């Protein structure tokens, strides 16, 4: 993902020269360095496929939002832009150049590819693990395995292509994990359920496909963790008289 800063531009780019380490390739928002033919290996092709992750995620979210137009898809798009904003802010604040082997002229700390892929994996993993209905342990494991294979090697791919150092990848993974966990926590709050009801009531085309466990939305206030003490919800003693005249 691209975000340029004058302090991160390599010397060959400032001199108006071509990159001596290869060429820039990849779709929008997912550029990477393609090395010379003599340096290309089998792993280079695998890394190139993984390095298109931001574009793949953006395209998938757009298609899902258009076809499904659900609450979950809307939240996923918002999370995508949130990660992008955090990534650009950190790149501008840190302004650390990429490794010298990269043909990209944007700042490298943290790795935006890694931040986004790990962020979505963290959110997805927490949603899967916390599922209570219609989800066996074996099925959860399969979903996590598929998501892990699809998203987690993205950081590795950035080091193979020389666009990030391992430190930049690790910091991106740390920030992505924190954002994914925070996003999941915010979506589990009682106020988010109210927001979902409000959106579905005023946007006719919006499908209520979140949260995945519908029964969780109807939990009592205290049990839902909204800050109300459980003691406050205790039932008062029944002082009504029955037909026999006794008091309970």
């Amino acid at each position: 993902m691209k975000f340029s800063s004058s302090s991160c531009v390599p010397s060959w780019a400032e001199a108006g020269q071509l990159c001596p380490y290869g060429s820039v390739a990849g779709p929008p928002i997912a550029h990477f360095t393609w090395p010379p033919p003599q340096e290309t290996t089998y792993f280079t092709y695998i890394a190139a496929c993984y390095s298109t992750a931001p574009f793949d995620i953006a395209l998938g979210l757009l298609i899902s939002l258009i076809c499904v137009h659900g609450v979950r898809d809307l939240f996923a798009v918002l999370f995508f832009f949130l990660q992008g904003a955090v990534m650009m802010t950190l790149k501008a604040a840190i302004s650390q150049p990429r490794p010298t082997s990269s043909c990209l002229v944007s700042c490298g700390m943290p790795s935006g590819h890694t931040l986004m892929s790990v962020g979505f994996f963290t959110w997805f993993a927490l949603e899967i693990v916390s599922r209570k209905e219609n989800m066996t342990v074996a099925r959860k494991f399969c979903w996590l395995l598929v998501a892990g294979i699809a998203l987690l090697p993205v950081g590795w791919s950035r080091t193979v292509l020389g666009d990030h150092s391992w430190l930049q990848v690790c910091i991106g993974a740390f920030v992505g994990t924190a954002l994914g966990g925070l996003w999941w926590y915010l979506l589990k709050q009682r106020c988010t359920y109210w927001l979902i009801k409000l959106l579905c009531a005023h946007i006719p085309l919006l499908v209520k496909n979140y949260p995945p466990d519908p029964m969780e939305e109807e939990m009592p206030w205290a049990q839902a963790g909204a800050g109300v003490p459980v003691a406050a919800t205790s039932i008062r003693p029944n002082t009504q008289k029955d037909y026999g005249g006794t008091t309970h």
Side-chain angles (χ1 to χ4, degrees), residues 19-64:
C19 177
Y21 309 107
S23 59
V24 177
I29 72 170
H31 293 146
F32 55 85
T33 299
W34 186 256
Q38 63 273 17
E39 299 180 10
T40 302
T41 65
Y42 174 76
F43 293 105
T44 306
Y45 290 93
I46 299 177
C49 292
Y50 274 111
S51 287
T52 62
F55 176 80
D56 299 336
I57 293 174
L59 182 61
L61 294 179
L62 179 61
I63 295 175
S64 179

Side-chain angles (χ1 to χ4, degrees), residues 11 14 23 32 87 92 104 125 151 153 168 178 184-185 187 208 226 232:
S11 58
E14 291 181 341
S23 59
F32 55 85
M87 180 269 298
L104 304 182
L151 295 173
Q168 294 170 349
W184 175 82
Y185 174 78
L187 294 184
K208 185 178 177 297

Side-chain angles (χ1 to χ4, degrees), residues 145-232:
L145 181 62
V146 172
I149 294 175
L151 295 173
L152 293 183
V154 172
W156 162 83
S157 72
R158 305 304 286 158
T159 63
V160 171
L161 297 175
D163 288 324
H164 284 290
S165 65
W166 273 111
L167 178 60
Q168 294 170 349
V169 167
C170 290
I171 297 298
F174 174 80
V175 176
T177 302
L179 287 177
L182 178 62
W183 187 252
W184 175 82
Y185 174 78
L186 292 176
L187 294 184
K188 295 303 178 182
Q189 298 307 299
R190 188 78 167 182
C191 58
T192 304
Y193 295 148
W194 292 349
L195 176 61
I196 292 173
K197 288 184 177 181
L198 184 64
L199 292 174
C200 293
H202 292 82
I203 305 179
L205 296 179
L206 194 61
V207 178
K208 185 178 177 297
N209 59 358
Y210 190 89
D213 292 322
M215 293 300 296
E216 184 178 355
E217 183 181 0
E218 304 301 330
M219 291 173 60
W221 181 280
Q223 296 181 17
V228 178
V230 177

Side-chain angles (χ1 to χ4, degrees), residues 121-133 135-137 139-141 143-144 184 188 212-213:
F121 175 80
T122 301
W123 178 28
F124 180 81
L126 290 173
E127 291 286 356
I128 291 297
V129 172
S130 63
R131 284 292 299 270
K132 299 177 181 178
E133 297 184 355
M135 184 72 73
T136 63
V137 175
R139 189 178 178 186
K140 289 181 179 182
F141 176 79
W143 276 113
L144 292 176
W184 175 82
K188 295 303 178 182
D213 292 322

Side-chain angles (χ1 to χ4, degrees), residues 58-112:
L59 182 61
L61 294 179
L62 179 61
I63 295 175
S64 179
L65 184 61
I66 294 175
C67 297
V68 181
H69 43 82
V71 174
R72 177 194 59 213
D73 312 283
L74 178 61
F75 283 160
V77 172
L78 293 177
F79 185 51
F80 180 89
F81 284 106
L82 172 64
Q83 291 182 104
V86 172
M87 180 269 298
M88 290 189 294
T89 302
L90 292 176
K91 282 181 180 289
I94 302 175
S95 296
Q96 183 182 97
R98 296 174 182 269
T100 55
S101 58
S102 176
C103 289
L104 304 182
V105 298
S106 57
C107 296
M109 176 65 85
S111 169

